[in-house]
Amino acid sequence: GAVVSQHPSWVICKSGTSVKIECRSLDFQATTMFWYRQFPKQSLMLMATSNEGSKATYEQGVEKDKFLINHASLTLSTLTVTSAHPEDSSFYICSARENEGAFFGQGTRLTVV
Amino acid sequence: QKEVEQNSGPLSVPEGAIASLNCTYSDRGSQSFFWYRQYSGKSPELIMSIYSNGDKEDGRFTAQLNKASQYVSLLIRDSQPSDSATYLCAVRYNNNDMRFGAGTRLTVKP
């Protein structure tokens, strides 16, 4: 299957700082990538759809000014959590789709202290 | 509203038994169906895809699709403790929108 690489796999940051998470499609081009958040023992929650060369589409209730998404190339999308707070601590996962379905990055465990 | 429904479980089966995971979806226009496995603390990984009615087998896994009943299932034969995970059903619609179920937590007891 297709390979999606996400970096970093974990990060600890102080409240008020910003954190950038990268998502790369390694062996295919992805005009669209997806960002999910998952709290412990809960299901995936789609946050936003990242579109190459245009603005991201955010799901209801997700603050676009807090979760900045940039999709500058066909293989890279970034999610920046701005002014992070402890309640932003979660598992963030990116995904890109190919013919055989959606493929996920390894996920990023964010802890805000 | 396009819905994908799964029983959250937990589903517990003894080692060697068949685990049966079920999923229903609401949109008859759905084209593609997928099963993902997610271990605790890890991201989901694709294990099966199915596009037409009937059964599709891959090793110990069999996906079953019934479009008339809007039902897709995953059977795991000879279940192993390493199969213990959350299994996510996903449905892709005509407009390429993709929805995930909440997942069923499976525990295989030695």
Side-chain angles (χ1 to χ4, degrees):
Chain A
V3 179
V4 177
S5 177
Q6 188 173 341
H7 178 82
S9 56
W10 61 270
V11 57
I12 301 173
C13 71
K14 292 184 177 180
S15 286
T17 61
S18 295
V19 173
K20 180 187 281 188
I21 303 169
E22 292 187 349
C23 180
R24 294 180 186 272
S25 56
L26 297 187
D27 52 359
F28 66 104
Q29 293 182 331
T31 55
T32 305
M33 291 186 178
F34 303 86
W35 288 96
Y36 295 86
R37 180 167 54 183
Q38 188 175 38
F39 293 106
K41 297 189 178 181
Q42 293 190 22
S43 60
L44 293 172
M45 187 193 82
L46 179 65
M47 298 175 66
T49 302
S50 170
N51 304 297
E52 188 268 335
S54 64
K55 291 182 179 180
T57 305
Y58 290 82
E59 295 297 302
Q60 194 171 8
V62 178
E63 299 176 57
K64 62 180 181 180
D65 295 329
K66 180 167 183 64
F67 298 100
L68 300 179
I69 290 173
N70 184 279
H71 194 152
S73 77
L74 288 171
T75 59
L76 173 64
S77 175
T78 61
L79 168 68
T80 301
V81 183
T82 63
S83 187
H85 291 284
E87 57 265 32
D88 298 324
S89 299
S90 188
F91 191 46
Y92 292 85
I93 313 173
C94 72
S95 167
R97 292 181 193 165
E98 216 208 16
N99 291 337
E100 274 299 302
F103 295 89
F104 291 87
Q106 300 94 322
T108 298
R109 175 80 53 198
L110 171 63
T111 303
V112 185
V113 297
Chain B
Q1 184 77 10
K2 297 172 181 173
E3 300 285 348
V4 180
E5 300 286 344
Q6 291 183 257
N7 188 324
S8 63
L11 172 67
S12 182
V13 300
E15 184 174 356
I18 296 175
S20 177
L21 304 159
N22 304 316
C23 173
T24 58
Y25 58 95
S26 61
D27 189 340
R28 287 192 174 275
S30 304
Q31 295 294 314
S32 311
F33 307 85
F34 307 89
W35 282 100
Y36 290 82
R37 177 176 60 200
Q38 185 177 22
Y39 291 113
S40 181
K42 302 292 185 182
S43 63
E45 57 178 324
L46 179 66
I47 53 174
M48 288 284 286
S49 60
I50 186 166
Y51 305 101
S52 54
N53 280 327
D55 295 0
K56 179 181 178 182
E57 189 175 315
D58 184 0
R60 295 186 296 112
F61 298 99
T62 299
Q64 299 175 317
L65 175 60
N66 184 326
K67 290 187 177 181
S69 300
Q70 295 173 241
Y71 177 95
V72 58
S73 65
L74 179 70
L75 301 178
I76 306 175
R77 289 183 300 282
D78 188 24
S79 295
Q80 301 297 309
S82 58
D83 295 326
S84 298
T86 296
Y87 289 80
L88 304 172
C89 170
V91 176
R92 187 159 67 193
Y93 301 98
N94 280 339
N95 64 354
N96 211 30
D97 185 20
M98 195 163 178
R99 300 278 166 163
F100 288 84
T104 299
R105 190 153 50 95
L106 171 67
T107 301
V108 180
K109 295 186 175 180

